[in-house]
Amino acid sequence: MNFATQSRFSDPGRHGDWLDDTPADIAALRDIASGLVFHHWAGGDPTAHGFEPSRLAEVDLRYAEAMLGRLRELDPTLSGAPRRPTDRILGCCRDFTLLYVTLLRHHRIPARTRVGFADYLLADWHLDHVVAEVWDGSRWRLVDPQFPADNALPVDVLDVPRDRFLVAPDAWRALRSGALDPSRVVAPDLVEPFLRGLPYARHNLALDIAALNRHEMLLWDIWGGMNLDPTVSPSDASRADELAALAPSALQAAFADDDLRVPPVIQSLSPTTHALTEVSLLS
């Protein structure tokens, strides 16, 4: 699969020209991407940071073209210089990563998003997170584009160790083996049962498989075998065991299966409206 070309989600569309003057450099593009999004959970209510309530809908922006269009409206420069918070779009880790992957692919640098759990964001917790996996010419390495270069994280954001960020198949296997405590997976302030432990690891496994097939979905999308159940049935756990044991190339082939393949119409549970809605995807 060609990860050096855009997907329908990462395609900058009519804003491709805006990216032409960015450097074809993994580190420099990471720094640019880290300044394009304001995390909608950062510092509590975004309206306290100057965002109008109407802008909360930016959290559900799905396609890079729409995200770049909004960013271009807010500030027509793309120099990598710090933007004011309100000159960024509201989003989450997925959006930092999608924009970074868009920038990399614009320069034909192979890149893909990976969904999993990080242990370096909050001590003693594995939080759900999305990072980029970038081919540097010799290997795939994990790069976290969410944080500025002068961050205080205990990892190198340009080469995150794979035991500090567990891609979803690795996280699922660790949970099933007992190496990972399900009560410490996700975040302490998310109390919904399906956002903790095995149910959410199963959800992220489907998201990660989609990403490996160039479908960079929103974290709150639902389709196929995904659901909001607070438990995982034995048959579903067995299916996840089977998937988590596959190599990335085999996970790409498995995406053809009915329970994994992203259909033209999905459901999405927005974190801002808390409403479950049907969404028709662009073809």
mmCIF file of all heavy atoms in Angstrom, residues 20 27 51 53 65 83 99 108 112 118 122-123 127 130 133 144 146 165 184 190 194 221 227 232 257 266 279 281:
data_model
loop_
_atom_site.group_PDB
_atom_site.id
_atom_site.type_symbol
_atom_site.label_atom_id
_atom_site.label_comp_id
_atom_site.label_asym_id
_atom_site.label_seq_id
_atom_site.Cartn_x
_atom_site.Cartn_y
_atom_site.Cartn_z
ATOM 1 N N ASP A 20 2.963 23.983 -0.495
ATOM 2 C CA ASP A 20 4.123 23.850 -1.390
ATOM 3 C C ASP A 20 5.420 24.388 -0.797
ATOM 4 O O ASP A 20 6.500 23.856 -1.066
ATOM 5 C CB ASP A 20 3.849 24.552 -2.723
ATOM 6 C CG ASP A 20 2.835 23.806 -3.579
ATOM 7 O OD1 ASP A 20 2.581 22.620 -3.304
ATOM 8 O OD2 ASP A 20 2.303 24.421 -4.520
ATOM 9 N N ALA A 27 11.150 16.488 10.874
ATOM 10 C CA ALA A 27 11.110 17.262 12.117
ATOM 11 C C ALA A 27 10.432 18.611 11.914
ATOM 12 O O ALA A 27 9.611 19.042 12.734
ATOM 13 C CB ALA A 27 12.520 17.452 12.659
ATOM 14 N N PHE A 51 -12.584 30.916 22.159
ATOM 15 C CA PHE A 51 -13.310 30.289 21.060
ATOM 16 C C PHE A 51 -14.808 30.548 21.197
ATOM 17 O O PHE A 51 -15.388 30.336 22.266
ATOM 18 C CB PHE A 51 -13.057 28.771 21.036
ATOM 19 C CG PHE A 51 -11.667 28.393 20.612
ATOM 20 C CD1 PHE A 51 -10.640 28.287 21.545
ATOM 21 C CD2 PHE A 51 -11.380 28.151 19.281
ATOM 22 C CE1 PHE A 51 -9.358 27.943 21.159
ATOM 23 C CE2 PHE A 51 -10.097 27.806 18.887
ATOM 24 C CZ PHE A 51 -9.079 27.702 19.827
ATOM 25 N N PRO A 53 -18.691 29.679 20.855
ATOM 26 C CA PRO A 53 -19.371 28.378 20.944
ATOM 27 C C PRO A 53 -19.623 27.726 19.588
ATOM 28 O O PRO A 53 -19.590 26.498 19.475
ATOM 29 C CB PRO A 53 -20.688 28.731 21.647
ATOM 30 C CG PRO A 53 -20.361 29.939 22.467
ATOM 31 C CD PRO A 53 -19.368 30.720 21.643
ATOM 32 N N GLU A 65 -8.789 18.680 3.808
ATOM 33 C CA GLU A 65 -9.106 19.841 2.974
ATOM 34 C C GLU A 65 -9.939 20.851 3.753
ATOM 35 O O GLU A 65 -9.668 22.059 3.704
ATOM 36 C CB GLU A 65 -9.850 19.414 1.713
ATOM 37 C CG GLU A 65 -10.161 20.589 0.793
ATOM 38 C CD GLU A 65 -10.794 20.174 -0.520
ATOM 39 O OE1 GLU A 65 -11.272 19.031 -0.629
ATOM 40 O OE2 GLU A 65 -10.815 21.001 -1.455
ATOM 41 N N ARG A 83 1.005 30.219 16.324
ATOM 42 C CA ARG A 83 -0.295 30.831 16.074
ATOM 43 C C ARG A 83 -0.988 31.114 17.400
ATOM 44 O O ARG A 83 -0.802 30.380 18.370
ATOM 45 C CB ARG A 83 -1.186 29.884 15.258
ATOM 46 C CG ARG A 83 -0.833 29.772 13.792
ATOM 47 C CD ARG A 83 -1.717 28.734 13.114
ATOM 48 N NE ARG A 83 -1.596 28.832 11.660
ATOM 49 C CZ ARG A 83 -2.606 29.058 10.840
ATOM 50 N NH1 ARG A 83 -3.836 29.191 11.315
ATOM 51 N NH2 ARG A 83 -2.408 29.150 9.550
ATOM 52 N N LEU A 99 -3.128 16.091 9.994
ATOM 53 C CA LEU A 99 -2.498 17.215 9.306
ATOM 54 C C LEU A 99 -1.005 16.967 9.091
ATOM 55 O O LEU A 99 -0.444 17.345 8.048
ATOM 56 C CB LEU A 99 -2.726 18.507 10.094
ATOM 57 C CG LEU A 99 -4.164 19.032 10.064
ATOM 58 C CD1 LEU A 99 -4.336 20.184 11.042
ATOM 59 C CD2 LEU A 99 -4.558 19.470 8.653
ATOM 60 N N ARG A 108 5.740 13.492 -0.480
ATOM 61 C CA ARG A 108 5.975 12.087 -0.854
ATOM 62 C C ARG A 108 6.784 11.329 0.184
ATOM 63 O O ARG A 108 7.525 10.391 -0.152
ATOM 64 C CB ARG A 108 6.660 12.007 -2.233
ATOM 65 C CG ARG A 108 5.836 12.632 -3.368
ATOM 66 C CD ARG A 108 4.538 11.863 -3.582
ATOM 67 N NE ARG A 108 3.802 12.343 -4.742
ATOM 68 C CZ ARG A 108 2.816 13.250 -4.700
ATOM 69 N NH1 ARG A 108 2.463 13.777 -3.523
ATOM 70 N NH2 ARG A 108 2.192 13.611 -5.795
ATOM 71 N N ARG A 112 1.656 7.227 7.943
ATOM 72 C CA ARG A 112 0.310 6.735 8.239
ATOM 73 C C ARG A 112 -0.007 7.046 9.683
ATOM 74 O O ARG A 112 0.891 7.268 10.497
ATOM 75 C CB ARG A 112 0.230 5.226 7.977
ATOM 76 C CG ARG A 112 1.254 4.392 8.737
ATOM 77 C CD ARG A 112 1.426 3.021 8.103
ATOM 78 N NE ARG A 112 2.302 2.143 8.874
ATOM 79 C CZ ARG A 112 2.828 1.018 8.403
ATOM 80 N NH1 ARG A 112 2.590 0.626 7.151
ATOM 81 N NH2 ARG A 112 3.597 0.260 9.170
ATOM 82 N N ALA A 118 -0.886 5.657 24.913
ATOM 83 C CA ALA A 118 0.414 6.196 25.328
ATOM 84 C C ALA A 118 0.511 6.212 26.843
ATOM 85 O O ALA A 118 -0.444 6.571 27.533
ATOM 86 C CB ALA A 118 0.582 7.607 24.786
ATOM 87 N N LEU A 122 0.276 10.835 31.007
ATOM 88 C CA LEU A 122 -0.171 10.942 32.396
ATOM 89 C C LEU A 122 0.391 9.746 33.153
ATOM 90 O O LEU A 122 0.178 8.592 32.749
ATOM 91 C CB LEU A 122 -1.701 10.961 32.476
ATOM 92 C CG LEU A 122 -2.329 11.183 33.847
ATOM 93 C CD1 LEU A 122 -1.956 12.558 34.410
ATOM 94 C CD2 LEU A 122 -3.849 11.051 33.770
ATOM 95 N N ALA A 123 1.115 10.028 34.224
ATOM 96 C CA ALA A 123 1.783 8.954 34.965
ATOM 97 C C ALA A 123 0.797 7.880 35.396
ATOM 98 O O ALA A 123 -0.291 8.176 35.896
ATOM 99 C CB ALA A 123 2.495 9.539 36.188
ATOM 100 N N LEU A 127 -3.227 6.364 28.079
ATOM 101 C CA LEU A 127 -4.299 7.158 27.500
ATOM 102 C C LEU A 127 -4.459 6.843 26.019
ATOM 103 O O LEU A 127 -3.474 6.637 25.308
ATOM 104 C CB LEU A 127 -4.020 8.651 27.661
ATOM 105 C CG LEU A 127 -3.766 9.190 29.084
ATOM 106 C CD1 LEU A 127 -3.776 10.710 29.060
ATOM 107 C CD2 LEU A 127 -4.796 8.662 30.058
ATOM 108 N N VAL A 130 -3.320 9.131 19.320
ATOM 109 C CA VAL A 130 -3.020 8.890 17.910
ATOM 110 C C VAL A 130 -1.700 9.572 17.582
ATOM 111 O O VAL A 130 -1.504 10.743 17.917
ATOM 112 C CB VAL A 130 -4.130 9.440 16.998
ATOM 113 C CG1 VAL A 130 -3.811 9.122 15.531
ATOM 114 C CG2 VAL A 130 -5.487 8.865 17.379
ATOM 115 N N GLU A 133 3.136 7.288 12.075
ATOM 116 C CA GLU A 133 4.194 6.326 11.828
ATOM 117 C C GLU A 133 4.827 6.727 10.498
ATOM 118 O O GLU A 133 4.154 6.744 9.461
ATOM 119 C CB GLU A 133 3.634 4.909 11.775
ATOM 120 C CG GLU A 133 4.683 3.826 11.918
ATOM 121 C CD GLU A 133 4.056 2.457 12.134
ATOM 122 O OE1 GLU A 133 3.043 2.155 11.473
ATOM 123 O OE2 GLU A 133 4.579 1.687 12.964
ATOM 124 N N ASP A 144 5.165 11.816 17.412
ATOM 125 C CA ASP A 144 4.006 12.456 18.036
ATOM 126 C C ASP A 144 3.988 13.928 17.637
ATOM 127 O O ASP A 144 4.840 14.702 18.074
ATOM 128 C CB ASP A 144 4.086 12.313 19.557
ATOM 129 C CG ASP A 144 2.786 12.679 20.253
ATOM 130 O OD1 ASP A 144 2.065 13.551 19.727
ATOM 131 O OD2 ASP A 144 2.486 12.104 21.310
ATOM 132 N N GLN A 146 1.660 16.216 18.363
ATOM 133 C CA GLN A 146 0.757 17.069 19.145
ATOM 134 C C GLN A 146 1.479 18.142 19.951
ATOM 135 O O GLN A 146 0.928 19.223 20.167
ATOM 136 C CB GLN A 146 -0.095 16.206 20.082
ATOM 137 C CG GLN A 146 -1.064 17.012 20.936
ATOM 138 C CD GLN A 146 -2.059 16.151 21.674
ATOM 139 O OE1 GLN A 146 -2.445 15.083 21.200
ATOM 140 N NE2 GLN A 146 -2.477 16.583 22.854
ATOM 141 N N PHE A 165 4.351 3.956 23.479
ATOM 142 C CA PHE A 165 3.102 4.058 22.726
ATOM 143 C C PHE A 165 2.793 2.681 22.163
ATOM 144 O O PHE A 165 3.545 2.158 21.320
ATOM 145 C CB PHE A 165 3.190 5.074 21.582
ATOM 146 C CG PHE A 165 1.895 5.179 20.812
ATOM 147 C CD1 PHE A 165 0.912 6.065 21.218
ATOM 148 C CD2 PHE A 165 1.660 4.387 19.694
ATOM 149 C CE1 PHE A 165 -0.300 6.148 20.526
ATOM 150 C CE2 PHE A 165 0.455 4.463 18.995
ATOM 151 C CZ PHE A 165 -0.526 5.347 19.424
ATOM 152 N N ARG A 184 -6.405 0.859 34.129
ATOM 153 C CA ARG A 184 -5.513 2.005 33.946
ATOM 154 C C ARG A 184 -5.419 2.407 32.481
ATOM 155 O O ARG A 184 -4.551 3.181 32.101
ATOM 156 C CB ARG A 184 -4.108 1.686 34.472
ATOM 157 C CG ARG A 184 -4.053 1.093 35.860
ATOM 158 C CD ARG A 184 -4.668 1.999 36.904
ATOM 159 N NE ARG A 184 -3.892 3.196 37.139
ATOM 160 C CZ ARG A 184 -4.239 4.152 38.001
ATOM 161 N NH1 ARG A 184 -5.382 4.055 38.669
ATOM 162 N NH2 ARG A 184 -3.474 5.209 38.175
ATOM 163 N N LEU A 190 -12.749 9.721 32.376
ATOM 164 C CA LEU A 190 -13.741 9.140 31.487
ATOM 165 C C LEU A 190 -14.350 7.933 32.192
ATOM 166 O O LEU A 190 -13.701 6.908 32.345
ATOM 167 C CB LEU A 190 -13.097 8.721 30.161
ATOM 168 C CG LEU A 190 -12.551 9.869 29.295
ATOM 169 C CD1 LEU A 190 -11.875 9.318 28.055
ATOM 170 C CD2 LEU A 190 -13.669 10.827 28.899
ATOM 171 N N PHE A 194 -17.496 1.720 28.323
ATOM 172 C CA PHE A 194 -16.969 1.353 27.012
ATOM 173 C C PHE A 194 -15.744 2.176 26.630
ATOM 174 O O PHE A 194 -15.132 1.937 25.586
ATOM 175 C CB PHE A 194 -18.053 1.455 25.936
ATOM 176 C CG PHE A 194 -18.616 2.849 25.744
ATOM 177 C CD1 PHE A 194 -18.013 3.755 24.888
ATOM 178 C CD2 PHE A 194 -19.766 3.238 26.414
ATOM 179 C CE1 PHE A 194 -18.530 5.026 24.718
ATOM 180 C CE2 PHE A 194 -20.292 4.509 26.239
ATOM 181 C CZ PHE A 194 -19.680 5.410 25.392
ATOM 182 N N ASP A 221 -16.042 7.495 15.659
ATOM 183 C CA ASP A 221 -16.798 6.837 14.594
ATOM 184 C C ASP A 221 -17.112 5.394 14.978
ATOM 185 O O ASP A 221 -16.339 4.738 15.694
ATOM 186 C CB ASP A 221 -15.996 6.851 13.292
ATOM 187 C CG ASP A 221 -15.953 8.225 12.636
ATOM 188 O OD1 ASP A 221 -16.809 9.067 12.968
ATOM 189 O OD2 ASP A 221 -15.067 8.449 11.791
ATOM 190 N N ASN A 227 -19.250 -1.187 18.657
ATOM 191 C CA ASN A 227 -20.472 -0.837 19.380
ATOM 192 C C ASN A 227 -20.096 -0.112 20.666
ATOM 193 O O ASN A 227 -18.917 0.129 20.933
ATOM 194 C CB ASN A 227 -21.308 -2.087 19.677
ATOM 195 C CG ASN A 227 -20.521 -3.149 20.425
ATOM 196 O OD1 ASN A 227 -19.978 -2.882 21.491
ATOM 197 N ND2 ASN A 227 -20.456 -4.363 19.869
ATOM 198 N N VAL A 232 -16.991 -7.003 26.283
ATOM 199 C CA VAL A 232 -16.627 -7.626 25.016
ATOM 200 C C VAL A 232 -17.048 -9.083 25.078
ATOM 201 O O VAL A 232 -16.647 -9.822 25.987
ATOM 202 C CB VAL A 232 -15.110 -7.516 24.758
ATOM 203 C CG1 VAL A 232 -14.732 -8.223 23.461
ATOM 204 C CG2 VAL A 232 -14.684 -6.053 24.699
ATOM 205 N N ASP A 257 -12.981 -7.589 5.244
ATOM 206 C CA ASP A 257 -14.039 -8.300 5.965
ATOM 207 C C ASP A 257 -15.148 -7.347 6.388
ATOM 208 O O ASP A 257 -14.915 -6.174 6.700
ATOM 209 C CB ASP A 257 -13.469 -9.007 7.194
ATOM 210 C CG ASP A 257 -12.453 -10.088 6.827
ATOM 211 O OD1 ASP A 257 -12.413 -10.491 5.640
ATOM 212 O OD2 ASP A 257 -11.704 -10.517 7.718
ATOM 213 N N ILE A 266 -21.658 5.679 8.051
ATOM 214 C CA ILE A 266 -21.263 5.222 9.380
ATOM 215 C C ILE A 266 -22.062 5.986 10.429
ATOM 216 O O ILE A 266 -22.858 6.871 10.101
ATOM 217 C CB ILE A 266 -19.756 5.447 9.616
ATOM 218 C CG1 ILE A 266 -19.432 6.952 9.548
ATOM 219 C CG2 ILE A 266 -18.920 4.666 8.614
ATOM 220 C CD1 ILE A 266 -18.059 7.315 10.059
ATOM 221 N N VAL A 279 -23.447 9.472 9.247
ATOM 222 C CA VAL A 279 -22.554 10.303 8.440
ATOM 223 C C VAL A 279 -22.301 9.594 7.122
ATOM 224 O O VAL A 279 -21.896 8.431 7.104
ATOM 225 C CB VAL A 279 -21.214 10.555 9.153
ATOM 226 C CG1 VAL A 279 -20.278 11.360 8.267
ATOM 227 C CG2 VAL A 279 -21.443 11.266 10.471
ATOM 228 N N LEU A 281 -19.916 9.311 4.055
ATOM 229 C CA LEU A 281 -18.532 9.642 3.755
ATOM 230 C C LEU A 281 -18.373 10.001 2.286
ATOM 231 O O LEU A 281 -19.095 9.497 1.418
ATOM 232 C CB LEU A 281 -17.621 8.461 4.089
ATOM 233 C CG LEU A 281 -17.648 7.978 5.545
ATOM 234 C CD1 LEU A 281 -16.771 6.738 5.692
ATOM 235 C CD2 LEU A 281 -17.175 9.074 6.483
#
